Structure formats: structure tokens, C-alpha cells
Amino acid sequence: MPAELPLLKHQHDHRFTLLMDDKKSLIPNRKPNAGEQYRFHFDISTCIGCKCCVVACNEQNGNPAHINWRRVGEIEGGVYPQTQRFHMSMGCNHCLEPACMIGCPVEAYTKDETTGIVLHSADTCIGCQYCTWNCSYGVPQFNEDRGVVGKCDMCHGRLTAGAAPACVNACPEGAISIELVDMLAWRVDHASADAPGMPSSDDSLSTTRITMPEMAIPALGRVDITRVQPEHAHLSLVFLLVLTQLSAGAFATFWLLEMMGVQLGAMAGLLPLVIGMIALSAAPMHLGRPIHAYRAIKNWKRSWLSREILALSMFAGAATAYAGALFLGLPMTGWLAAGALGAGILGVMSSARIYIVKARPSWNSAFTMVDFYLTAAVLGPRILLAAGSSNSDVVYWLAAAATVAQIVNHLVRFHWLKSSKQHELKASAGLLMGVLHDQVQARYLLWGLSLMTLFFSPVASFVLALLAESVSRWLFFCSVVPKTVASTYLTPRGATS
Amino acid sequence: MKTWKRLLGIDNLSEQYAYTTDPVLGHTSAKRAADSWVKTTCGYCSVGCGMELGVKEDKIVAVRGWESHPVNLGKLCPKGLSEHHMVSASNRLTHPLLRKDGKLVPVGWDEALNVMVEKFRASQH
């Protein structure tokens, strides 16, 4: 009989009674009322870092071992012998203002009306991974095998059937539970969503309530901040951005020449048009599900990704009209060039706005916008010179001035990163000075050579500038250090993000 | 290898990642749905936690803690929680291996034990 076994003599010890408690006490005994939603409560003081929650989550959702919708990290601090280390287990924070949902171009995300759970549809998702850039906690994760993103849904299917989520169920310490939260009151005061090792809850109004141990010292922080590795280079996006900006810059230069009354050749518009078109048609290659690319304009009211696609499509139309008018010798080319200029400005701005997100601090600045426009100004005039479409002094000086401005932009940006006190910005500077140092030097060298050759060989100058801008955009992607929750000391970066 | 349907994105492996309502586990990944459950003891460490293995078509597809088992009262550690993967793991050793000419080759138990006895004895002199 179990009651005679020695361990059960300890059943008045709270840890044993916890195991024997009705597990339903860890989830609310009623559904959320209007104005309420479910949220996680996580108790750092009881978590032992065993990762049962992580494994139970993977079992529940059938995920491969390298994708973890719930992750366990470590925070530590203090000076010997007064040192502390705690574990924290985090799933999705089911935010009041989910950045993943706001940015999603296809409306794959919904915030469930009755439970407040942020749900993701794998069938609607096109695998653009924009949500993985928008979330300050690194919650949505791209599943390479499926070509779509996935994330914690608080075991919506279990919770609504009155069962505890898998992580709650598996925790031997009862450290994870589900609570009800008054959404309006949480909007006003959500300080208990903040904890050492967690990005600020202001970013998207995280709802997870965190209980810190009473004896916790203030100087706790992530254990993993010294291990910073370059992010994914996204080569297809480097290609897309640099070449669409080249094309936008070229048509802006056409407009300038039109305004100056310069007569342009019939073939002048064709090369920049073809380059822009190739870049745009290669864009779906970035998606996990390229065939569904057309869906990406659906969320134009909220998502800069949807707006980018709309604006760049408008640009493609306007650029085709202008290049066609030049080719056919039609009148009113000045107005058509102005149309291409306007659409190009909108397109480049929408591209830049995609990257200006709170979760990726080194992208989240005006430098990104300036960088993208200057890429257009560095490459646009140069392709006209290289193709022999123009030999106007203004175009030469425009290209030279833009190149100097771009070099200055990146020098000032680097100084901003390096002198920042924020971990993610400092760490970006660290990458640029460290493992990416050679590429940084190569970029400046290429810009310099491109300036020196500009007035002698526009073709060489164009090729050098194109290389410089490509390396620079590659560095833009590699050197970003995203905000995320604490991981463990030994977790390889990128294993779960 | 990814199929062309997967590369285009027509297929997103939705069947492989489907959910079901299992009479024992409740709402869970369809991969975990079992026909029957077999009570056993976890073989990883010496604590001896009670566990139930979910079996479907003669394959172990799921594991859960044995609710009333006095040792673990329904809880399992992360290794126990994923123990069913071990049984069919591709790199699991299913027979003795002996290094011959620098390469590990499968051998029978008789040969394996004989070699061990021989080597032990040789070291005892």
C-alpha cells in the first residue's frame, strides 16, 4: 500500500503536498470575464531549472528538439561570496499589444477575444519571419522543415477544456501557473512583468507576472550576454534591398535630369528597371512558403511589410511607365519620372520602417532610414554613369556626395553603438569590432576606391560601390543583437531563436 | 529531402503537426495519441519513477508519469518525459560493437563477452 512507504510520511512537507494537490489549482476556476484575459504567472523563487516544462512543451506540440516554445534561462549576479543565480522559464507573454501580430503581413496572428491568448495560424503564415524580428522575447520561432513560424499558444486547446497547459502540468515545483488579469489595470501598472534578464514589458505590454525571490539582490542579469554571435545574414534580403534601392535611386536621378531639361536616351531607363524587377521577383525566395507571397499585402493597415510590398509594386509600375515612355519617345516624361521618384521614396521608406522595431535596438534608429536612402543615392547616379545614360557633372557630384555622406553615416552610427550603455547596442559594436571587423574594413575600403575611380571609370566605381553597399547591408543583418529573454550559460545562440 | 510541394510552400507539414484530443492525455499533438498504455518503471536512473508508455501499432509514441506511483506521484524529469524517443532513436546501440582494424563492427553477445573475459584476464597477470 502506498501509504506505508517512507516518502509519504513527508506528505505534510509543502513540496509533497504540491504534487498531490489537484492540478486545477494552478489554473483559474472560471473563464475570463469581459476585460480580463489569461496570463502566465512564473515564480522565480521556486523554479529549479529542471526544464521539464521545455520537454513537456515539445511533447505537447510535437516540435523537434531544437525548437523550444518554452525556454529556461539563467540570471545571476553579486560579488563572491554574496552571489545568486536563479532560473526563469518563459513561453509566450500573450502581450496586450503583440508586436508579432501588428507586424504580420498576412494576419496569421489573432488575439483570442475570450482568452486573450495570442494565436498563430500555421496555414495562414507564409514564413516571412517578420514576427521573429518584432518580438522582444524571441518567442515566435521559424520551423525550417515546415516553412512557417510557430509559437506558444498557452495550450489554448487544453486550457479551454479545463486542463492545465503542458508546462504547468509538468513542473514539479508548481512554478508556472495560469491567472486571470484585468487588462485595463495591467495597462496602467505592469511593473510585475519586469524582471532581471527580461526585456522591458513596455515594448508590447507583456502580461506574464513574475515573482522574484524576496532575498534577490538588485544586480542580477542575464548569464548569456557575453556570448554574442552574428545573426542570420538573410542574403536574399540583402539582394532585394540593395537592388531595389539602386533602382529607386536611378529613377530619382532621371527625375533630377528631367527637371534640368536634360535629354535622355531611349534605352536609358531599361537597365535600372530590369535590375529592380529582378530584385522584386526574387523577393519571395526569402519566404518559407513562396507560393503564398501574394497574401503579404493583406495587412497594409498595420504592417510595414505589407506597405513595402505595395509601395515597391507601385514603384515598379511607375518605373515601367517612365522607362517605357522614354523608349517609345512619348511626351510628359517629367511627370512620369516624378511618379517613379515618389513611389521610390515611399518604397525605400517602407523598407526601412520594417527594420525600425523595438526588439532589434541597433536597427531601431534614424540611421537605418538614412542608410537606405543613401544606398539609393550612392548607386542610382552611378548606374546612369556606368551605363553611359548621362555624363552630367551634377550626377557625378551627387554620387560623390552621397558616398561621403554614407561613410559619415556609418562612422557616426558606429560611435552611437559603441558609446551606448544598452547591452544590445554595445554588443552590436562589439561584433563590428570583433568577428565582423574585416568586413567593416573592406566596406570602407570599397567605398573609398569607388570614390577614387568615380571620375575616371564610372563602371569600376559602380561595381565597387555595389560591392560596398552589399557588404554594408550584409553587416546590417549580421551585426544586429536582438532583445531576448535570458538563456542558459551554455545554450548555443541561435539554437532556439 | 524537401519535396517540391514543401519548397513552394503548398505543403506546410500540417498533418505531421496536427493536434488531437486523446482520451487519456486530452488535447495534444496527434503524434502522441496512443491505443493502449503500459505501466512500467523508468530505466534511466536508480530512483525508479513509475511511468506509463503509450503504445500505438506496436510502437511507443508517448510517455506520462504514473499518477499514483509512490516514488514520483505522476511527475517525471525531462529525460523521463521524452523517454519514448530513446527506444527508436537512430543512434541507439542495439547490439555489441567490437573494434576491429580500427572500426567498430557489430558482433554477437558470445564474441563480445569472450573478448571482454579474455582482456580482463590478460590484465590480471
Side-chain angles (χ1 to χ4, degrees), chain A residues 59-62 155-158 161, chain B residues 14-35 37 56 61-62:
Chain A
E59 287 294 292
Q60 166 71 24
N61 297 297
C155 287
H156 179 264
R158 296 181 63 81
Chain B
S14 54
E15 276 175 33
Q16 202 183 314
Y17 282 84
Y19 291 89
T20 188
T21 304
D22 181 81
V24 174
L25 297 174
H27 173 81
T28 187
S29 164
K31 293 174 188 169
R32 302 284 98 79
D35 298 331
W37 291 84
K56 186 180 186 177
V61 293

Side-chain angles (χ1 to χ4, degrees), chain A residues 198-256:
Chain A
M198 288 285 286
S200 166
S201 60
D202 290 338
D203 284 7
S204 49
L205 301 183
S206 152
T207 65
T208 303
R209 185 171 74 89
I210 302 170
T211 298
M212 286 298 292
E214 275 175 31
M215 28 64 93
I217 54 172
L220 293 168
R222 283 166 53 182
V223 300
D224 59 334
I225 56 165
T226 52
R227 197 188 57 245
V228 178
Q229 280 169 12
E231 283 288 302
H232 196 291
H234 295 291
L235 283 179
S236 57
L237 294 180
V238 171
F239 185 73
L240 167 78
L241 289 170
V242 171
L243 294 187
T244 53
Q245 284 153 21
L246 179 158
S247 189
F251 284 91
T253 316
F254 284 136
W255 171 80
L256 188 71

Side-chain angles (χ1 to χ4, degrees), chain A residues 462-487:
Chain A
F462 168 72
V463 172
L464 290 163
L466 183 61
L467 281 172
E469 291 292 336
S470 304
V471 173
S472 184
R473 198 54 46 81
W474 179 86
L475 284 166
F476 174 82
F477 282 104
C478 291
S479 68
V480 70
V481 177
K483 289 191 192 175
T484 187
V485 293
S487 70

Side-chain angles (χ1 to χ4, degrees), chain A residues 270-292:
Chain A
L270 296 183
L271 182 62
L273 179 69
V274 167
I275 291 176
M277 288 297 194
I278 290 172
L280 280 177
S281 50
M285 296 311 291
H286 166 66
L287 303 176
R289 301 175 75 193
I291 201 157
H292 296 298

Side-chain angles (χ1 to χ4, degrees), chain A residues 349-386:
Chain A
M349 182 192 72
S350 318
S351 292
R353 284 302 299 264
I354 289 175
Y355 300 90
I356 300 181
V357 294
K358 289 175 185 166
R360 303 218 149 191
S362 72
W363 291 353
N364 190 23
S365 85
F367 290 111
T368 301
M369 189 70 79
V370 174
D371 178 11
F372 284 23
Y373 276 121
L374 285 177
T375 300
V378 166
L379 297 176
R382 272 186 175 81
I383 192 157
L384 266 61
L385 297 171

Side-chain angles (χ1 to χ4, degrees), chain A residues 5-226:
Chain A
L5 286 158
L7 274 178
L8 287 200
K9 287 177 191 161
H10 297 281
Q11 59 180 289
H12 295 297
D13 180 316
H14 84 278
R15 294 203 172 177
F16 282 89
T17 49
L18 170 74
L19 288 170
M20 302 186 63
D21 268 351
D22 184 357
K23 280 187 211 85
K24 284 186 177 169
S25 63
L26 293 171
I27 62 173
N29 56 11
R30 63 171 174 84
K31 291 198 177 343
N33 292 332
E36 287 182 330
Q37 74 160 72
Y38 287 128
R39 71 159 170 217
F40 279 112
H41 169 236
F42 176 67
D43 189 348
I44 290 188
S45 63
T46 53
C47 176
I48 55 170
C50 69
K51 303 188 185 176
C52 281
C53 49
V54 178
V55 176
C57 176
N58 275 36
E59 287 294 292
Q60 166 71 24
N61 297 297
N63 280 328
H66 65 279
I67 291 175
N68 302 133
W69 290 354
R70 179 162 279 278
R71 293 162 295 162
V72 170
E74 294 166 25
I75 51 173
E76 66 178 5
V79 179
Y80 181 82
Q82 269 81 42
T83 55
Q84 292 183 343
R85 170 172 286 202
F86 299 106
H87 302 276
M88 53 202 307
S89 163
M90 286 291 147
C92 174
N93 295 312
H94 301 282
C95 302
L96 294 186
E97 288 176 10
C100 54
M101 182 175 93
I102 293 165
C104 177
V106 295
E107 298 181 336
Y109 286 91
T110 44
K111 190 160 173 70
D112 188 57
E113 276 186 23
T114 46
T115 61
I117 293 172
V118 178
L119 297 168
H120 173 266
S121 161
D123 289 331
T124 311
C125 180
I126 57 170
C128 73
Q129 304 160 61
Y130 190 32
C131 51
T132 68
W133 295 351
N134 269 305
C135 176
S136 295
Y137 308 97
V139 166
Q141 288 164 39
F142 184 60
N143 184 328
E144 195 87 39
D145 291 341
R146 298 191 70 180
V148 295
V149 159
K151 70 176 273 296
C152 157
D153 66 350
M154 212 188 247
C155 287
H156 179 264
R158 296 181 63 81
L159 206 47
T160 47
C167 53
V168 173
N169 215 3
C171 180
E173 298 292 308
I176 312 168
S177 57
I178 306 296
E179 299 178 334
L180 294 168
V181 57
D182 182 320
M183 293 192 277
L184 208 57
W186 193 249
R187 240 170 224 285
V188 178
D189 180 10
H190 45 86
S192 44
D194 289 317
M198 288 285 286
S200 166
S201 60
D202 290 338
D203 284 7
S204 49
L205 301 183
S206 152
T207 65
T208 303
R209 185 171 74 89
I210 302 170
T211 298
M212 286 298 292
E214 275 175 31
M215 28 64 93
I217 54 172
L220 293 168
R222 283 166 53 182
V223 300
D224 59 334
I225 56 165
T226 52

